[in-house]
Amino acid sequence: MAEFRWAYIGSGNIAKSTARSITKGKHRITAVYSRNREKAAAFAKSQGASVFESFDELIENDCYDAVYIATPHTSHLEYSVKAMKVGKPVLCEKPVGVSVKEVDGIIQASRDNNVYFCEAMWTWFSDVALTVKKWIAEKRLGEIKSVHIDYAFPGLMMSKNSRVLMPETAGGALLDVGIYPITYCYNLFGYPKDIKCEGTIKNGIDVEETVTLIYDGFECVLEMSLAKLKEGCKIKGTKGEINIPMFHMARLATLKADGKKESFKGKTDYLTEFTRVAEEIKSGKTESDYIPFEATRNCMKIMDECRKQMNLVYPFE
């Protein structure tokens, strides 16, 4: 692939993490905008990129091939729609919005302007997750009997002004953490027959919850939290089980079935994600084969239902 140029919207931790990874490949960051002018200038300087005073100024420029949005999710709709209206392809960090209504607005903008949009869910650009999906589709486990996924990190120990802990930026466990196990189950098994959610809300955000996605013959039990550190995915079937220890950024998945053990090793990294997105954009796609619009919308629909059951409403709604 020839060099691919990115405009970065946001200059925080996720922007810096992705930049370290993708610039090892055929990617270059050529434009930067952030509401924090000082941080944007420092980040742009580290990348040899141009820094822009306003988002409108950046999107009118042609010094890049696509926009990457790495800001708090409350601003994703605005930035995504504005970029697509002037024909700029967009890769946007998850969740791409805070409700199905916002996701619908983004999808409509992509279709109206015939321009690429994709949710930056690195898990599903990885061959590890795609191999697990293949094992499930091939019925290597027989009939699915149970699924249990834990994903938690001690977010409550972060600074109080972290976006993860602020209701004003739709912080909390569900949108920042829960999107990973919810997306994992959806990509393997589709939309559930029923959804049950029990959670704890403190200071205007959900700090932990258990979400149960109910399918014919089995349930996916998903536990997510900002109060501890835990991660793992176990899928059991009539013929065996699959284990993915670090499922959201997996490098290993193990299948034990019919008395045999099989392992798949690979990478879940930003470079793979950005490279596959760049290839899709260059091929003329407007919707990703890895993260189709339906998946983004339905996972948000599940999270909307969870919020409804917890009576979780953000102050800007």
Side-chain angles (χ1 to χ4, degrees), residues 6 18 27 68 91-94 119-123 125 269-278:
W6 291 92
T18 57
H27 299 267
Y68 168 59
L91 174 65
C92 181
E93 273 304 327
K94 73 274 162 223
E119 181 177 32
M121 174 59 72
W122 69 340
T123 305
F125 286 94
D269 61 359
Y270 298 120
L271 179 55
T272 300
E273 174 188 26
F274 276 66
T275 297
R276 288 182 166 174
V277 166

Side-chain angles (χ1 to χ4, degrees), residues 107-121:
I107 293 171
Q108 193 61 50
S110 171
R111 290 174 172 161
D112 287 346
N113 296 283
N114 196 35
V115 63
Y116 183 93
F117 177 86
C118 182
E119 181 177 32
M121 174 59 72

